[in-house]
Amino acid sequence: MRRAALLAFIVLTGCRTPRGTVEEPVITRFDLRGATHVDASELKEKLATHGPDCFLGFLACDWFRLDPDALGADKRRIEAYYRARGFYRTSTTAAEVTPDGEGRVHVALGVKEGPRITVRRLEITGFDEVPEARSHAGTLKLAVGHAFTEAAYDATRAQLLTALLATGWANATVTQSAQVLPDEGVVDVRFAVEAGARYRFGRVFVAGTAEVPRQKVILRATREVKSGHWFDEGRLDRAQARVFDLGVFAGVRVTRGAPDLERGTIPVVVAVREAPFHTLKLGPGLGFQAARWETQGLASWTHRNWLGGIRRLQLDARAGYAWIPDPFIRDREGVVGQVSAEFSQPSVLGDAVDFSARVELEKSLEQAYGFYSERLRLGTPLRLGPGWTLTPTYNLEVYQLRDLVGTPSVTLPQLQNCPGQICLLSYLEQRLAWDGRDDPLNTRRGLYASLSVQEGFNVASYGYRFLRFLPEVRWFLPLGRATVLATRARLGALVPVGEKGRAPVVALFTAGGALSMRGYGSGRLSPMSLQEGRWVPTGGNGLLEGSLELRQALSPSLTGALFLDGGNVSSASGSPSGYQEVLDPTRLQLALGIGLRYRTLFGPLRIDLAGRLPTDWSAGVPFAHRFPPVPTTPPAAGAPAGPDHREPIAAIHISLGEAF
């Protein structure tokens, strides 16, 4: 009853159109008529006069009152908007204000669009004397015969100036002028270039350091601003980003110094402000997924200049309790936790090569087993260029399986190549990534691509020889100011090298969960084994996943999403077909869903609800069987596969951070 009363209150109060006064009536509709050559919705956003701004129909609306003075100013705004886009003979008609009940009106403005002017003459003086800058400028935004806009006019000047500043002419100037002839529909444009003297980069000076060695800062900055090279204004920003990436400064500013006229050089000044080197973070953590609930406490301590030399040491710990699938059913439950230490040393070989080491101990619980694990990773990250990283590592992972679901005496799938219930992975990994996103946490634009290659080998009588490939691509495209189209695809293959039987269960692929195919619970899109009356995931050799997501900002802090996920995991056979079958399009499973994201300092807090799509529409097929089953794994060597198994058709996930 309370919910019904609350809903009735929202409907009765939200849907009621407010009334204004005779002097200031409420605008119930605002029309802009005749705007065909520009984006009318964008133009209306720049005006002071607005119709109602509503969310979810008329359940929640912002209403605006009529202001005759603002309406008169809007007519001038419309004409200025058109002039900026080359329509110099556009005018507006008188506003139409029509009553729409007591204290309410409809408002309409009419636009008479004129022709767009074109460039009749384009003159650039002084640019032929600087051929290096001319070739660097490329194709100019303005050209004879093309439409004239203020944006292209200013962009052309910026092109010329940028080309000069990028090729050594550090004090160059570019002046612009345009003679518009509206009656003739043409414009004559002129740019005057004064290049001045040409300069090279000089010495790099550092100010503001106390504990951080200045040489470390100079070494990082000179990857972009090399003494003796021609001056390039754009490299100052790139040098600033490289210095800031050291992670020990609260602020970095890279600027040019006073030119040395005698030597023909310009020094570079790097001004920094050191940040606190110690950080301590404490807090709770919660995770809710269709196949796993977990609560935990977290602690993290970081020293960004441990023992000097910008050496970084980070210690992390978490402890909690997990329920599988949830606290109400409790198929499996137990204490979980992890402690880790990570050390990194920048610039061990020049400035481009770092060193990192990570040690990790964990106790956790999976759907088919529990485990203790010890992991070691040694790496030498290489910065290949802006956005590019190559990280070669050696990895050693040891898992002691325990609390197995099933009877070990029948050779459970999770014990394949894990003698004595110990799974060992020893492998080399090379990860190449390019990050062209505008923001890793709240991305609106850009491309991210990575390729991970692993080569597994034996250590004494333990281990498994394999090749593992995992390429991934993410692409983000803004569709207006409040909408983003996000896509992701990744394909994985684990190929045994001269080995028999399944790979260790800890090396195989599973899918499903908040960061994967959201139509399934965590790890539930996987080959399954029927053990002790329950279906548990055992992993596969091949993985295919993809997502298409439309993100719409609903408020400054709230975003809605509509997504389509696809996924497939192959069987865990040691033969090539075990990972090649993942490419079979008839096996791909799809899920359609909606979600909400609330922006926080740590990334978006996310809730997603997804329902899988049926694939079999044959007559007489029960509804539950219209959805594809997951592959099944025999519980013992040589035993027949179990019956088809189908997971629930919907899943809900609550997590922190975007899905990709």
Side-chain angles (χ1 to χ4, degrees):
M1 291 296 294
R2 291 182 179 178
R3 293 182 179 178
L6 179 60
L7 179 61
F9 174 79
I10 293 174
V11 171
L12 292 176
T13 58
C15 291
R16 180 174 58 86
T17 303
R19 295 179 181 176
T21 64
V22 175
E23 294 78 13
E24 292 185 336
V26 166
I27 302 173
T28 57
R29 191 176 72 197
F30 175 61
D31 295 325
L32 190 62
R33 300 169 181 167
T36 59
H37 290 90
V38 299
D39 187 339
S41 60
E42 178 185 297
L43 173 55
K44 290 173 72 173
E45 289 181 358
K46 298 183 179 298
L47 304 180
T49 305
H50 293 280
D53 184 9
C54 297
F55 172 61
L56 294 179
F58 284 90
L59 286 180
C61 294
D62 289 330
W63 300 89
F64 299 88
R65 296 178 182 271
L66 177 63
D67 182 347
D69 294 335
L71 193 59
D74 282 339
K75 297 173 69 175
R76 295 189 293 273
R77 290 189 182 98
I78 292 172
E79 293 172 1
Y81 182 90
Y82 270 90
R83 281 197 305 273
R85 285 149 183 80
F87 297 93
Y88 275 75
R89 300 180 65 182
T90 295
S91 61
T92 56
T93 61
E96 298 180 13
V97 180
T98 307
D100 184 34
E102 184 178 351
R104 302 191 296 268
V105 293
H106 289 170
V107 179
L109 276 175
V111 178
K112 292 184 178 179
E113 295 180 331
R116 175 179 277 177
I117 63 173
T118 59
V119 179
R120 181 177 67 178
R121 182 179 297 112
L122 177 61
E123 181 182 1
I124 304 175
T125 62
F127 210 44
D128 290 335
E129 286 75 23
V130 286
E132 295 85 358
R134 187 177 182 87
S135 61
H136 190 278
T139 303
L140 299 180
K141 298 294 184 181
L142 277 184
V144 174
H146 288 192
F148 175 82
T149 67
E150 290 182 5
Y153 177 52
D154 293 336
T156 300
R157 177 186 178 276
Q159 275 185 279
L160 299 174
L161 186 57
T162 299
L164 289 160
L165 295 178
T167 51
W169 283 275
N171 295 325
T173 60
V174 179
T175 56
Q176 61 188 134
S177 60
Q179 183 179 11
V180 180
L181 305 173
D183 294 337
E184 300 181 29
V186 296
V187 58
D188 295 333
V189 181
R190 183 176 184 272
F191 296 97
V193 173
E194 293 185 11
R198 195 179 188 191
Y199 292 91
R200 299 180 184 271
F201 280 120
R203 293 180 58 191
V204 175
F205 297 91
V206 178
T209 58
E211 296 187 41
V212 176
R214 291 189 178 187
Q215 191 57 37
K216 291 284 186 182
V217 179
I218 293 174
L219 187 62
R220 184 60 63 93
T222 51
R223 283 185 57 82
E224 295 293 342
V225 290
K226 298 182 184 298
S227 179
H229 288 203
W230 289 116
F231 179 85
D232 181 349
E233 185 85 21
R235 289 191 172 274
L236 298 180
D237 289 338
R238 296 200 287 273
Q240 181 171 298
R242 285 190 178 274
V243 174
F244 189 78
D245 284 344
L246 287 171
V248 292
F249 298 120
V252 178
R253 183 172 176 81
V254 178
T255 58
R256 62 162 92 175
D260 186 328
L261 301 180
E262 183 178 343
R263 292 185 173 87
T265 61
I266 294 181
V268 175
V269 179
V270 182
V272 299
R273 186 175 75 256
E274 292 180 348
F277 295 130
H278 305 82
T279 301
L280 177 63
K281 297 180 180 178
L282 300 170
L286 295 172
F288 303 95
Q289 298 196 50
R292 182 187 182 98
W293 288 39
E294 186 172 335
T295 179
Q296 56 187 242
L298 307 110
S300 177
W301 178 82
T302 304
H303 195 309
R304 297 179 181 82
N305 195 33
W306 187 59
L307 302 179
I310 323 183
R311 298 177 180 90
R312 179 187 177 97
L313 178 64
Q314 180 170 331
L315 305 178
D316 294 301
R318 63 176 176 84
Y321 203 84
W323 298 268
I324 296 177
D326 56 56
F328 310 104
I329 298 177
R330 301 188 183 187
D331 283 344
R332 297 171 66 78
E333 61 179 296
V335 175
V336 296
Q338 183 184 61
V339 293
S340 64
E342 185 166 3
F343 168 79
S344 63
Q345 169 66 67
S347 307
V348 292
L349 293 175
D351 181 59
V353 183
D354 299 341
F355 171 77
S356 66
R358 179 180 176 87
V359 178
E360 187 176 296
L361 306 176
E362 182 179 12
K363 178 184 183 297
S364 191
L365 192 66
E366 297 295 335
Q367 297 166 54
Y369 57 89
F371 68 86
Y372 291 95
S373 72
E374 302 82 32
R375 306 184 186 99
L376 169 67
R377 185 184 69 210
L378 304 174
T380 54
L382 287 79
R383 292 178 297 276
L384 303 179
W388 285 97
T389 57
L390 173 63
T391 308
T393 60
Y394 168 70
N395 301 264
L396 178 64
E397 303 177 4
V398 182
Y399 300 81
Q400 296 88 33
L401 304 188
R402 55 187 295 274
D403 298 333
L404 301 172
V405 177
T407 306
S409 62
V410 298
T411 314
L412 297 173
Q414 55 264 38
L415 293 181
Q416 292 283 319
N417 282 291
C418 293
Q421 300 186 25
I422 296 178
C423 300
L424 184 143
L425 295 178
S426 178
Y427 59 92
L428 301 174
E429 180 179 25
Q430 303 82 45
R431 182 178 181 86
L432 178 65
W434 182 77
D435 194 346
R437 296 172 295 178
D438 58 346
D439 186 338
L441 290 181
N442 299 291
T443 310
R444 284 188 47 82
R445 180 189 302 273
L447 176 70
Y448 173 86
S450 68
L451 172 63
S452 171
V453 180
Q454 297 178 0
E455 304 90 19
F457 53 90
N458 295 328
V459 176
S461 59
Y462 291 89
Y464 192 81
R465 290 177 295 167
F466 64 88
L467 294 176
R468 192 176 190 264
F469 305 91
L470 187 61
E472 180 176 2
V473 175
R474 306 173 194 175
W475 180 59
F476 304 86
L477 177 68
L479 304 176
R481 294 192 303 174
T483 308
V484 175
L485 178 65
T487 61
R488 175 187 62 174
R490 61 175 181 165
L491 175 67
L494 189 149
V495 185
V497 179
E499 296 282 2
K500 296 181 179 180
R502 295 165 41 90
V505 64
V506 293
L508 294 172
F509 294 106
T510 63
L515 303 177
S516 180
M517 204 283 200
R518 286 164 281 185
Y520 278 86
S522 178
R524 299 297 292 182
L525 178 52
S526 163
M528 293 281 188
S529 176
L530 183 60
Q531 300 171 18
E532 297 183 357
R534 70 184 74 156
W535 290 95
V536 295
T538 55
N541 286 65
L543 169 73
L544 177 63
E545 283 189 329
S547 295
L548 181 67
E549 186 166 292
L550 190 66
R551 301 170 182 172
Q552 173 68 42
L554 305 177
S555 73
S557 298
L558 190 65
T559 300
L562 176 66
F563 59 86
L564 176 67
D565 287 350
N568 183 21
V569 177
S570 69
S571 65
S573 168
S575 65
S577 61
Y579 54 86
Q580 291 175 353
E581 66 186 24
V582 77
L583 299 175
D584 184 355
T586 63
R587 296 168 53 90
L588 185 67
Q589 303 202 34
L590 301 175
L592 188 65
I594 58 174
L596 286 175
R597 292 92 171 89
Y598 181 77
R599 182 173 296 184
T600 72
L601 293 175
F602 307 100
L605 178 64
R606 176 167 55 97
I607 178 170
D608 288 324
L609 174 64
R612 291 190 288 118
L613 302 180
T615 57
D616 189 347
W617 294 97
S618 304
V621 176
F623 177 76
H625 285 201
R626 296 187 183 277
F627 299 87
V630 293
T632 57
T633 301
D644 284 347
H645 170 65
R646 289 173 171 82
E647 288 286 298
I649 63 175
I652 188 169
H653 309 278
I654 301 175
S655 59
L656 187 65
E658 282 290 1
F660 58 93

XYZ file of all heavy atoms in Angstrom, residues 10 28 35 77-78 103 174 196 256 268 270 338 370 383 398 411 494 558 604 615 626:
158
model
N 3.529 10.512 -6.891
C 4.440 10.966 -7.948
C 3.667 11.286 -9.217
O 3.892 12.302 -9.875
C 5.517 9.902 -8.214
C 6.425 9.779 -6.998
C 6.331 10.240 -9.445
C 7.438 8.654 -7.109
N 4.563 25.736 -22.247
C 4.289 24.297 -22.351
C 4.856 23.691 -23.627
O 4.994 22.466 -23.717
C 2.775 24.043 -22.304
O 2.130 24.785 -23.353
C 2.204 24.465 -20.943
N 14.231 26.080 -39.411
C 15.666 25.789 -39.251
C 15.964 24.432 -39.881
O 15.759 23.389 -39.251
C 16.052 25.804 -37.782
N 20.395 35.989 -30.909
C 21.255 34.809 -30.777
C 21.123 33.890 -31.990
O 22.105 33.310 -32.458
C 20.893 34.040 -29.502
C 21.265 34.744 -28.206
C 21.070 33.811 -27.019
N 21.380 34.475 -25.755
C 20.457 35.018 -24.951
N 19.177 34.958 -25.281
N 20.825 35.622 -23.826
N 19.920 33.735 -32.492
C 19.698 32.877 -33.659
C 20.434 33.424 -34.870
O 21.102 32.685 -35.612
C 18.189 32.755 -33.949
C 17.502 31.958 -32.833
C 17.946 32.091 -35.301
C 15.995 31.936 -32.919
N -2.586 30.644 -17.589
C -1.201 30.751 -17.153
C -0.231 29.897 -17.949
O 0.887 29.651 -17.486
N 50.440 34.948 -36.630
C 49.554 34.853 -37.793
C 48.366 35.761 -37.531
O 47.645 35.592 -36.545
C 49.072 33.412 -38.041
C 48.132 33.373 -39.248
C 50.245 32.466 -38.252
N 59.618 35.075 -38.082
C 60.677 35.435 -37.151
C 61.836 34.455 -37.225
O 62.029 33.741 -38.213
N 58.351 27.092 -21.842
C 59.580 27.555 -22.481
C 60.209 28.685 -21.668
O 59.504 29.474 -21.030
C 59.279 28.051 -23.896
C 58.347 29.231 -23.917
C 58.407 29.966 -25.246
N 57.422 29.483 -26.190
C 57.224 30.039 -27.391
N 57.978 31.066 -27.763
N 56.312 29.586 -28.204
N 63.997 24.841 -21.652
C 62.718 24.302 -21.175
C 62.746 24.270 -19.659
O 63.716 23.794 -19.057
C 62.472 22.889 -21.745
C 61.208 22.287 -21.150
C 62.385 22.937 -23.265
N 60.882 22.948 -16.254
C 59.939 21.986 -15.672
C 59.731 22.367 -14.216
O 60.627 22.186 -13.382
C 60.467 20.546 -15.783
C 59.445 19.566 -15.214
C 60.797 20.194 -17.231
N 43.189 -11.891 0.723
C 44.358 -11.757 -0.146
C 45.294 -10.713 0.436
O 44.844 -9.675 0.957
C 43.931 -11.353 -1.554
C 45.058 -11.247 -2.551
C 44.557 -10.739 -3.910
O 44.026 -9.648 -4.030
N 44.718 -11.567 -4.914
N 37.775 -24.815 -3.565
C 38.428 -23.727 -2.866
C 39.926 -23.850 -3.106
O 40.417 -24.875 -3.587
N 57.930 1.678 -22.190
C 57.110 2.732 -22.777
C 57.613 2.983 -24.195
O 58.654 3.605 -24.405
C 57.196 4.002 -21.925
C 56.545 3.859 -20.556
C 56.696 5.136 -19.739
N 58.103 5.436 -19.458
C 58.774 4.913 -18.457
N 58.191 4.064 -17.639
N 60.044 5.238 -18.261
N 51.002 -20.945 -8.099
C 50.798 -22.253 -7.485
C 49.464 -22.224 -6.744
O 49.214 -21.324 -5.931
C 51.939 -22.602 -6.509
C 51.717 -23.994 -5.915
C 53.288 -22.524 -7.204
N 38.745 -38.876 -10.737
C 39.490 -37.941 -11.591
C 38.598 -36.790 -12.050
O 38.132 -36.739 -13.184
C 40.087 -38.662 -12.814
O 40.705 -39.868 -12.409
C 41.106 -37.755 -13.495
N 43.519 -21.107 -25.791
C 44.577 -21.781 -25.070
C 44.906 -23.055 -25.845
O 44.062 -23.944 -25.983
C 44.146 -22.106 -23.642
C 45.252 -22.638 -22.721
C 44.991 -22.209 -21.279
C 45.365 -24.154 -22.777
N 24.373 10.564 -12.871
C 23.651 9.325 -13.174
C 23.636 9.074 -14.674
O 23.356 9.978 -15.467
C 22.226 9.412 -12.642
C 21.403 8.120 -12.661
C 22.010 7.083 -11.713
C 19.958 8.405 -12.271
N 32.370 4.608 -11.604
C 30.915 4.480 -11.521
C 30.472 3.256 -10.730
O 30.988 2.156 -10.915
C 30.499 4.371 -12.998
C 31.716 3.880 -13.709
C 32.881 4.428 -12.971
N 16.969 -18.803 -28.802
C 17.516 -19.111 -30.133
C 16.708 -20.156 -30.883
O 16.911 -20.335 -32.076
C 18.967 -19.625 -29.994
O 18.989 -20.772 -29.136
C 19.874 -18.549 -29.427
N 14.046 -23.106 -25.251
C 14.326 -22.191 -26.364
C 15.673 -21.490 -26.181
O 16.195 -20.891 -27.106
C 13.216 -21.151 -26.492
C 11.853 -21.743 -26.853
C 10.829 -20.666 -27.132
N 9.520 -21.231 -27.413
C 9.134 -21.685 -28.603
N 9.980 -21.617 -29.622
N 7.934 -22.185 -28.774
